């Protein structure tokens, strides 16, 4: 079956630091890949997505590139802010209608 | 405002006492889904619905029921809750299955359930 493995947290950074959260996946076929973000006390929001190999998703300064050869979709941001403190989930959708999520990575950015 | 609403937001109950968590969306979405979120496990899908009167099991359906009598509503029913169903529950919806837009799911704010 499908599965998503993402970097264990928690991650604590200073403002303007570089953030990377690793995500790898196992899936049949050609999945679409996503990063969702959950701010404290809220539901999940789509952050970015990529639907085919070598696609780069980007939003709010975050980027992730769909790497089929390494089955990865790592999330990066060059300069984080306190407002980026949240839980980040990597997810995939294969040829059915289900989303499979990773365990989530808690990121805390300190001023 | 386009949104997914859930009620209640917080619930403490006892083992065996039937409960329903409501979910409603105002975006005319066909696809709706329920997830539970547990520490270290991420989100796991409980049930989903492709349209009115069409529901199917997700990865962890045991102990739960759902119904989809109207397009906008997708209640989650726990007939006899047990402590292992203590969790944070999210409802989500998306425009229609099978198309690219299904990829963007809109999540409700969550319901924190404690079963004693």
């Amino acid at each position: 079956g499908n599965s998503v493995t993402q970097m264990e947290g928690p991650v604590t950074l200073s403002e303007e630091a570089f953030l990377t959260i690793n995500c790898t996946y196992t899936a049949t076929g050609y999945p679409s890949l996503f990063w969702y973000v959950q701010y404290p006390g809220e539901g999940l929001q789509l952050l970015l997505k990529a639907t085919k190999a070598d696609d780069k998703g980007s939003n709010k300064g975050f980027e992730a590139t769909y790497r089929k050869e390494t089955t990865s979709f790592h999330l990066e941001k060059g300069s984080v802010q306190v407002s980026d403190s949240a839980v980040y989930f990597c997810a995939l959708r294969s040829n059915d209608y289900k989303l499979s999520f990773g365990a989530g990575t808690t990121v805390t950015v300190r001023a | 405002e386009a949104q997914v609403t859930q009620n209640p937001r917080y619930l403490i109950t006892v083992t065996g006492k039937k409960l329903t968590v409501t979910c409603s969306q105002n975006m005319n979405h066909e696809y709706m889904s329920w997830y539970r979120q547990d520490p270290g496990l991420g989100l796991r899908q409980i049930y989903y619905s492709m349209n009115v009167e069409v529901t199917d099991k997700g990865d962890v359906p045991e102990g739960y029921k759902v119904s989809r009598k109207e397009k906008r509503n997708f209640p989650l029913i726990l007939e006899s809750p047990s402590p292992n169903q203590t969790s944070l529950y999210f409802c989500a919806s998306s425009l229609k299955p099978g198309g690219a837009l299904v990829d963007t799911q809109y999540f409700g704010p969550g319901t924190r359930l404690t079963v004693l």
Side-chain angles (χ1 to χ4, degrees):
Chain A
N2 299 335
S3 68
V4 177
T5 303
Q6 64 181 97
M7 192 170 96
E8 296 272 343
V11 174
T12 303
L13 302 164
S14 298
E15 261 192 325
E16 300 183 4
F18 185 86
L19 171 67
T20 299
I21 305 176
N22 290 340
C23 171
T24 58
Y25 67 89
T26 303
T28 54
Y30 302 94
S32 296
L33 302 174
F34 312 88
W35 278 100
Y36 279 82
V37 60
Q38 183 181 30
Y39 298 106
E42 298 183 12
L44 279 72
Q45 304 172 25
L46 180 67
L47 180 59
L48 54 84
K49 67 180 180 182
T51 56
K52 61 183 188 297
D54 300 324
D55 267 3
K56 177 186 283 189
S58 61
N59 186 25
K60 299 182 180 180
F62 290 89
E63 291 184 342
T65 301
Y66 188 144
R67 301 284 188 203
K68 191 167 177 61
E69 64 275 14
T70 55
T71 62
S72 65
F73 192 55
H74 305 321
L75 182 69
E76 298 181 336
K77 185 173 185 181
S79 177
V80 294
Q81 305 299 314
V82 172
S83 58
D84 294 324
S85 297
V87 183
Y88 293 83
F89 292 91
C90 186
L92 73 81
R93 182 181 69 84
S94 190
N95 297 327
D96 53 25
Y97 303 112
K98 299 179 184 180
L99 273 179
S100 298
F101 286 86
T105 302
T106 300
V107 173
T108 301
V109 181
R110 293 182 173 165
Chain B
E1 179 189 354
Q3 60 183 349
V4 179
T5 57
Q6 296 178 225
N7 281 292
R9 293 290 311 279
Y10 302 91
L11 179 60
I12 300 174
T13 189
V14 296
T15 299
K17 185 176 181 181
K18 181 180 178 179
L19 65 92
T20 299
V21 183
T22 64
C23 172
S24 182
Q25 50 90 7
N26 63 0
M27 296 170 278
N28 202 35
H29 285 170
E30 293 183 10
Y31 182 91
M32 298 185 74
S33 181
W34 275 103
Y35 298 88
R36 60 178 290 173
Q37 182 181 7
D38 300 291
L41 297 176
L43 273 76
R44 294 177 292 168
Q45 191 174 46
I46 302 170
Y47 270 94
Y48 63 98
S49 170
M50 307 272 263
N51 211 329
V52 175
E53 301 293 359
V54 181
T55 63
D56 211 344
K57 296 177 180 178
D59 297 319
V60 288
E62 296 77 20
Y64 304 94
K65 287 175 57 177
V66 292
S67 69
R68 188 88 183 275
K69 293 185 171 55
E70 306 166 279
K71 198 172 189 179
R72 63 181 294 129
N73 296 324
F74 191 45
L76 179 69
I77 303 155
L78 285 71
E79 295 270 3
S80 182
S82 62
N84 65 11
Q85 292 178 298
T86 293
S87 188
L88 180 58
Y89 291 86
F90 288 100
C91 181
S93 72
S94 60
L95 189 59
K96 65 184 290 187
L101 287 174
V102 72
D103 296 341
T104 303
Q105 291 203 35
Y106 296 85
F107 283 80
T111 295
R112 186 166 292 282
L113 172 65
T114 302
V115 183
L116 302 175

